[in-house]
Amino acid sequence: MPYSPHTDADRREMLAAIGVSSVQELFHDVPESFRFPDLKLPKAASEMEILDELYAMALKNSTTGCFAAFLGAGAYNHFVPSVIPHLAGRGEFATAYTPYQPEVSQGTLQSIFEYQSMIAELTGMDVVNASHYDGATSMAEAAIMAVNVSRGRRRKVIVSPWIHPQYRHTLRTYLPGGQVTITGDENLRTNLDDLQGMLDDDAACLIIQNPNFFGELMDVDGLADAVHDAGALLVVVANPIISLGLLRPPGDYGADIVTAEGQPLGAGLNFGGPYLGVFAARKDYVRGMPGRLVGETTDTRGRRGYVLTLTPREQHIRREKATSNICTNQGLVALMAGMYLAYMGKGGLRAVAEMCYHKAHYTAAQIEQLDGYQVVNYAPFFNEFPVKCPKPVAEINSALLEEGILGGYDLQQDYPHAENEMLVCVTEMNTREQIDRLVAALAEIGAR
Amino acid sequence: MKLDSNARYAESHEWVRKEGDLMVCGITDHAQEELSDVVYVELPEVGATFAKGEQFGVIESVKAASDLYIPMGGEIAEVNEALEDSPETVNEDPFGEGWMIKFKSSDPSQWDSLLAPEEYEASAGGE
Amino acid sequence: MNQPEPLIFEMSSPGRAAYTLPELDVPRAPLPEDYVRDELNLPEVSELEFVRHYTRLSQKNYAIDTVFYPLGSCTMKYNPKVNEKAASIEGLTHVHPLQPEATAQGSLKLMYELQEALKEIAGFAGVSLQPAAGAHGEFAGVLIMRAYHQSRGDTRRTKILIPDSAHGTNPASSAMSGFSVVEIPSDERGNVDLEALKVECDETVVGLMLTNPNTLGLFEEHVLEVNETIHACGGLIYGDGANLNALMGIARPGDLGFDVMHFNLHKTFSTPHGGGGPGSGPVGVSQQLVPFLPGPIAAVEDDHYKLVMPEQSIGRLKAFYGNYGMFIRAYTYIRMLGPDGLRAASEHAVLNANYLKAKVAPHFPVAVERTCMHEFVSHGDVEGTDVRALDVAKRLIDYGFHSPTNYFPLIVHDALMIEPTETESKQTLDAFADAMAHIAEEARTDPELLHTAPHTTPVTRLDEVQAARNPVLRYKG
């Protein structure tokens, strides 16, 4: 058996010390008729064999890197600097436990404190937790937190339809049973003015995504004031998060809670996970925040150190009255995000964001010139924009795939009114050659 | 354990005392010792009303967060805002400066069913 | 290593940069001036400073790769490096979750195979890999129970029964789903009090959340009867699978009557803890609950793998499909052990725990005198002294061990929950037992040494009161 250090001699001595003659005797409490079942699993593979098996599986995939890829919609193809997996993969980080014994966890605690600080800076907020599962679940927990902040007196969550469909779906899974009303996205064309019109005494929060799922930068002038006047909280989903390298953060325009998908910050695509739920709030609400928090303090000799703090809010102490049930979160991914932000730094994050912006705008300008294609709502956007195509998106994407191009997201599958609209995403990973190839292919396919 | 002979007690470790036409309420010395260092007290808004035994707040220490239950029904007239900056006052002077709320009682007869100091001492000491 | 490490912000110098990016190869577009931010105060460091900073920080951590971590209920077994190699295979990982299914057949096949393996190991008819952690899986489980009762028009059920020894996530997950919690006491042998359970069993019960072995490390002696009792009143049984490391190839929860259970891939199946995640908490269900699984899940038809949403699914628990990187690691582990290896792992986990219990009990009495499973609970206070479990836990650090879980389960005073796992050698266990014996002695001769432990670490005991009273949760330049 791999990873097992026990020899026959060890086993004999240990059994003797316990006072039994076989290991099987230790299972006398297990009902006899169900003891020692035969597990029908393939027999053990050696290291060589399992790696062979996995390489064979990998060959059945086409990696995003095989294509000129223009697909975003909540998961983004960004460059991960080599230092990050190298350092995050160190056994001292990866095989450490949750830092409940702070004296032997200063590595984890300080790096998460740094992560909290950098995300606070990025989002313009006061307090950041040590991570949530992903962008969808952090949004759901923000809604729950808003209801709790009102001590349960406000039970309506107003949600913009221009938020990622999977996030809105997750929100409804988290809040089943009608104890809280989720409204605002029944009509998928509801705009910001309409949403503001839904504010009343029962509204706990209003949630928007900015840039929205269609890539547009929202006009948020006066939004926070309207929400606050109604006594509610403004929750902003800041996706894609790289946009905050260039754009005004939600903290600047009055957000009370900011959530986001942190995957673009060094996590890679990984077929959907592990990703990173970013969660930030105003300091007034710190005691209502779900998740772990790392705080700064001193030790018995006056030296600076870091600890998990405000822990009585959490499940292991507060149990059924906890702010959330979350225990294990996405610690190592948060570490990687902190590393990414520190490595790219002030100049780098802005540079990546600008590259995404300029390349996306070049792409849009080129596509706009094609017959049969139209960039929808040429409004301010960051790096994603919808294109109305002359044929169904599925057909276009099929043809693009044959040219080695991964096309954008088919918006019609979630928004029936967005007929033949493709959400195109461009990042710093797309070269001009790839973009020109996309445009040429679209022209050729449109003309068929 | 320290007790206030003018106060009456709930089994959930809150004390209450008459002060003019208001009732003053806090937690007992026994309770603050069990909690150890208090780091935060969540208090209700002035004007909020509670029935006897209803939760009116939360008290947090490093190792626990406990609900606070009002020993008699009433309407909150005052809360001890000083506890926001100095929650440790609850540990230092639980029956005096560490008071939490002052309320107008809705049914003064509820006083009679509360525990007298010796009764509380007996019940808490048994824990 | 014990030198204070500055914050990365404190190492910053304006104008320093580590990154490289290609030159912009397209024309610049005008920036949307009204939307552009003013400042972005992130660090500016060189690559070498960056590397030294994080390397030095890592050296301040204890980790499985460096020390023994007997944390009860956490299953801190060795994290195999082949798992890391597998999880870095670009062909498996550099795949966008929304790529056409035809281009992701390898990734989908792996998901499907892992689902099948987990079903077989635990005796279930269906598995969803989507929940991102154990607590997430628990939440899914409670929602599944809710959906099941609702589908049968049974709306009177609002109570969930939970033993007093349960992990805090159990009541928290129940409350999140809108149910009330009724606590069931344990008897003197550490089992669920069957009589107390029978009293609560009626048609208002959604179900029971049971951890087996429980948090005392003990196998429920009446598990079949407990499960029958709940089923008899129309309830379901949720199994907290955190302690599955005692049962692989030993007994299958599905066979014992559990209707739904979550797995912790980061405990039983060796994926690394990462300092607080990512974990993975797949949920397994019996036949009648299969339609309610969260999704999408992987399925196969004519050798073609695809994603499907179960017919009456409780919905999505998050975006995409789960913590995929952990699936690769867990699958690799299961394949490397095979059915015999999985059984041997559980057998040795239980052997190690009983051996360690025999050596530690003379100094720190066990809470319940019974054969334990993969972990056991001792009282960590020392009689005749004022030394508490916390002091023992901190002093163990000076001996080069991570502390066991302390103050949990709540039903044992000064609890020390000790789980060695199967990957520790007899020598390590002997050294740990020796350290415990020394500490018990120190408690009598020099208690102050324990009250102020640890002494050998980068920082000594930290002022948690100050941290909670005046929280400083970010750097302010």
Side-chain angles (χ1 to χ4, degrees), chain A residues 130-410:
Chain A
S131 76
H132 217 285
Y133 305 133
D134 74 344
T137 54
S138 38
M139 184 185 105
E141 294 249 19
I144 294 173
M145 178 175 153
V147 171
N148 289 341
V149 161
S150 77
R151 299 194 193 190
R153 280 185 239 125
R154 288 166 175 260
R155 302 202 147 258
K156 183 162 82 172
V157 170
I158 302 171
V159 66
S160 157
W162 308 95
I163 296 173
H164 198 305
Q166 291 191 18
Y167 288 27
R168 291 183 284 115
H169 188 163
T170 302
L171 176 65
R172 287 184 161 85
T173 309
Y174 263 68
L175 290 167
Q179 286 203 329
V180 170
T181 314
I182 300 169
T183 186
D185 63 344
E186 299 90 338
N187 176 347
L188 291 170
R189 282 191 247 221
T190 310
N191 62 30
L192 211 44
D193 284 334
D194 298 333
L195 292 176
Q196 282 179 67
M198 297 178 196
L199 288 164
D200 60 18
D201 283 341
D202 196 31
C205 61
L206 190 153
I207 313 180
I208 63 164
Q209 180 176 323
N210 192 19
N212 69 24
F213 187 64
F214 282 57
E216 297 173 304
L217 304 187
M218 311 274 288
D219 178 6
V220 292
D221 247 346
L223 175 63
D225 286 336
V227 173
H228 295 146
D229 282 345
L233 299 185
L234 177 60
V235 178
V236 177
V237 177
N239 275 6
I241 199 171
I242 293 275
S243 67
L244 295 182
L246 176 66
L247 304 175
R248 273 175 75 209
D252 272 10
Y253 55 84
D256 298 292
I257 305 176
V258 175
T259 66
E261 174 51 65
Q263 172 269 332
L265 306 174
L269 287 169
N270 265 305
F271 203 55
Y275 283 0
L276 172 63
V278 170
F279 194 108
R282 299 214 166 284
K283 64 171 160 349
D284 301 330
Y285 304 119
V286 67
R287 288 191 141 81
M289 272 177 81
R292 298 193 175 121
L293 294 167
V294 176
E296 192 178 281
T297 184
T298 48
D299 75 355
T300 55
R301 296 185 208 169
R303 291 175 296 196
R304 183 173 69 183
Y306 299 92
V307 282
L308 291 177
T309 189
L310 302 187
T311 46
R313 312 157 300 121
E314 295 183 63
Q315 47 74 29
H316 58 295
I317 291 176
R318 204 78 167 103
R319 296 171 75 87
E320 66 265 20
K321 298 195 180 182
T323 48
S324 164
N325 72 342
I326 191 169
C327 186
T328 296
N329 40 63
Q330 304 288 106
L332 201 68
V333 193
L335 172 69
M336 285 159 57
M339 286 182 171
Y340 181 85
L341 290 171
Y343 185 79
M344 299 309 285
K346 183 174 192 151
L349 195 68
R350 171 78 182 228
V352 169
E354 281 210 31
M355 279 189 93
C356 294
Y357 180 87
H358 294 306
K359 288 184 186 247
H361 283 73
Y362 171 74
T363 310
Q366 300 302 106
I367 292 177
E368 184 70 3
Q369 290 174 33
L370 297 176
D371 279 338
Y373 292 87
Q374 189 204 345
V375 176
V376 180
N377 291 340
Y378 217 140
F381 63 91
F382 175 62
N383 76 332
E384 284 182 289
F385 54 93
V387 174
K388 193 163 171 73
C389 303
K391 298 176 187 184
V393 174
E395 215 181 294
I396 307 234
N397 276 342
S398 225
L400 283 174
L401 213 57
E402 286 170 22
E403 312 279 329
I405 300 173
L406 189 61
Y409 187 78
D410 184 355

Side-chain angles (χ1 to χ4, degrees), chain C residues 83-260:
Chain C
N83 293 358
E84 298 308 308
K85 172 94 189 218
S88 67
I89 294 175
E90 219 179 274
L92 287 176
T93 59
H94 196 209
V95 181
H96 192 294
L98 298 172
Q99 276 181 214
E101 276 174 8
T103 64
Q105 286 295 295
S107 296
L108 290 170
K109 179 173 156 90
L110 188 139
M111 275 179 70
Y112 179 77
E113 297 294 342
L114 179 61
Q115 285 168 195
E116 294 295 297
L118 292 175
K119 278 159 68 173
E120 178 63 18
I121 290 168
F124 287 115
V127 162
S128 170
L129 303 176
Q130 199 182 57
H136 211 203
E138 271 179 43
F139 182 47
V142 177
L143 289 177
I144 288 171
M145 295 199 285
R146 185 176 176 282
Y148 170 80
H149 291 306
Q150 286 204 340
S151 76
R152 303 170 87 239
D154 194 346
T155 51
R156 299 156 300 169
R157 298 181 184 269
T158 57
K159 292 178 348 212
I160 298 212
L161 309 181
I162 300 183
D164 55 8
S165 56
H167 192 280
T169 52
N170 288 180
S173 304
S174 303
M176 269 177 84
S177 316
F179 292 128
S180 57
V181 169
V182 175
E183 212 175 67
I184 307 292
S186 306
D187 66 18
E188 343 65 58
R189 286 184 63 75
N191 299 311
V192 166
D193 186 331
L194 199 50
E195 292 316 307
L197 184 72
K198 286 179 175 162
V199 164
E200 294 294 342
C201 266
D202 60 28
E203 70 291 344
T204 65
V205 165
V206 170
L208 168 71
M209 288 180 93
L210 187 64
T211 309
N212 187 37
N214 62 24
T215 57
L216 295 165
L218 305 170
F219 194 93
E220 239 344 285
E221 284 174 310
H222 312 294
V223 65
L224 296 179
E225 223 188 311
V226 164
N227 290 352
E228 271 155 29
T229 305
I230 298 288
H231 282 147
C233 70
L236 296 168
I237 295 115
Y238 177 87
D240 182 324
N243 290 335
L244 193 64
N245 207 41
L247 297 182
M248 296 189 291
I250 308 296
R252 307 197 312 169
D255 296 342
L256 299 174
F258 286 87
D259 299 293
V260 51

